[in-house]
Amino acid sequence: MKAPAPRVLMVGTALEGRGGVAAVVSVLRRHGLFERESVRYVATHRDGTPLVKARGALSGFWQTLVTCLRGRPAVVHVHAASHASFLRKSLVLLIARLAGCKTIFHLHGGGFRTFATEEAGGLLRRWIRHTLEASSLVITLSEGWAQFVHAFAPRARVAVVPNAVPLPDLPAQDAAIPGRVLFLGRLEAAKGIHELLEAGARVVRETRGPSPLRLAFGGEGDAQDLRRRAAELGIAERIELLGWIGPAERDAELRKAAVFCLPSHAEGLPMSMLEAMAARKAVVATHVGGIPETLRDGDNGLLVPPRDEQALARALARLLGDTALRDRLAERARATIEQQYSTEVVCGKLSAIYRELAGTRR
């Protein structure tokens, strides 16, 4: 039997991938958005060798072209970040516009501002602006990113839709290990891992008596560099390198964490932070991207300036040394996710957008 024509064609990275976009889309699919809105998903990027990536891109472009010409989806919704991701998705959007489809550019990635305003040359900058303004709608993850898009591409139509986060069941008893600080993300300088190591070393030095501090790093990247720097700082025995971990392992690590820390230099709205908040964990993060709109300093988490290991050390020491504060922030973090970032709320917003663009109401 021939599959029914999709109402929405969604384009992004392969869902078995390990990035934030794959996590975001997987949440939407598990919650039933694809069935409810007749969404077909096409991947234009796969992890692997250059040949695997090239084949994935070509296959994605071909599937997009065939679907747009034969299936005539009402809406083509692309998830895009910077550099090659933007270039792939801008071509997808061009195909969709030529086929007469309404289009959504869904902006992810904390580096897009730098990419668009500093790294891109004049011709590419004009193409970025044209792509944003020619889209039927640009979705950003926060008001701050919406303001950037309005300034960079004044004729773009923008809506704010945060990432959706499933609400895990909470354990009956607290399983957190005292002193355990969890980081989830790519092991690279831009994620603030060096500042976290330096802050951890400072906490150990300044703690009276034995310090229980342990730093657990979950993610792929330059583990050798992280080990080397930890040894230089004298805390090699206090770090754990978990490698990339899947959803089940992530949930288990969150349960064991006393504090979650993400000291990034730039961000959109990181899924790992939202997942930690949903798991009822006290969070320390940096005042970048869309984070401050979600994490309010002293209310549902602690915020520190990026690249400031001293401020980071103070925040970690404060949380690790104050159980009542840690518990209060964790409860407020969970409540924030329940009220503003649940899958029900976000999927409802996306459904309303699809129906408006398609000219239908239900």
Side-chain angles (χ1 to χ4, degrees), residues 167-173 255 277-281 331 334 338:
L167 291 166
D169 294 331
L170 298 175
Q173 293 184 339
R255 284 192 292 271
M277 295 173 70
R280 199 173 61 190
K281 292 297 169 179
E331 290 290 345
R334 170 77 176 200
E338 290 174 347

Side-chain angles (χ1 to χ4, degrees), residues 75-272:
V75 179
V76 176
H77 178 177
V78 308
H79 296 269
S82 306
H83 303 107
S85 173
F86 169 80
L87 294 174
R88 286 192 301 271
K89 303 312 168 22
S90 68
L91 292 178
V92 168
L93 290 171
L94 176 61
I95 293 170
R97 290 196 301 272
L98 292 175
C101 304
K102 297 294 180 67
T103 57
I104 299 173
F105 184 100
H106 200 146
L107 176 57
H108 299 266
F112 191 84
R113 185 193 308 265
T114 300
F115 166 64
T117 61
E118 299 177 20
E119 297 172 345
L123 184 60
L124 178 55
R125 191 175 300 121
R126 287 194 293 273
W127 177 242
I128 296 171
R129 182 176 294 110
H130 170 76
T131 299
L132 296 174
E133 294 184 337
S135 298
S136 305
L137 185 70
V138 176
I139 291 178
T140 65
L141 305 180
S142 68
E143 289 291 346
W145 277 105
Q147 292 170 13
F148 163 74
V149 173
H150 280 306
F152 180 80
R155 291 190 296 275
R157 181 187 172 207
V158 186
V160 177
V161 180
N163 288 334
V165 190
L167 291 166
D169 294 331
L170 298 175
Q173 293 184 339
D174 186 7
I177 299 173
R180 186 178 180 85
V181 177
L182 178 65
F183 165 94
L184 296 176
R186 184 154 184 83
L187 303 184
E188 60 185 8
K191 289 291 185 179
I193 59 169
H194 294 155
E195 289 88 347
L196 181 52
L197 287 174
E198 291 162 5
R202 181 179 289 269
V203 169
V204 171
R205 288 196 308 270
E206 297 179 356
T207 299
R208 294 181 179 179
S211 171
L213 180 81
R214 292 195 67 82
L215 301 177
F217 293 85
E220 294 180 314
D222 193 349
Q224 288 299 112
D225 178 65
L226 192 148
R227 285 196 185 95
R228 177 189 58 77
R229 184 58 182 149
E232 292 173 352
L233 293 167
I235 57 170
E237 76 285 355
R238 293 179 180 271
I239 70 167
E240 297 178 36
L241 300 180
L242 309 173
W244 182 83
I245 55 178
E249 295 87 353
R250 175 203 65 213
D251 292 345
E253 290 297 332
L254 282 168
R255 284 192 292 271
K256 293 190 293 183
V259 173
F260 178 82
C261 184
L262 188 66
S264 302
H265 300 172
E267 283 287 356
L269 184 59
M271 280 293 289
S272 61

Side-chain angles (χ1 to χ4, degrees), residues 313-330:
R314 287 193 297 270
L316 290 174
R318 182 183 173 194
L319 276 183
L320 294 175
D322 190 336
T323 302
L325 174 64
R326 195 165 63 242
D327 290 346
R328 179 175 65 79
L329 296 181

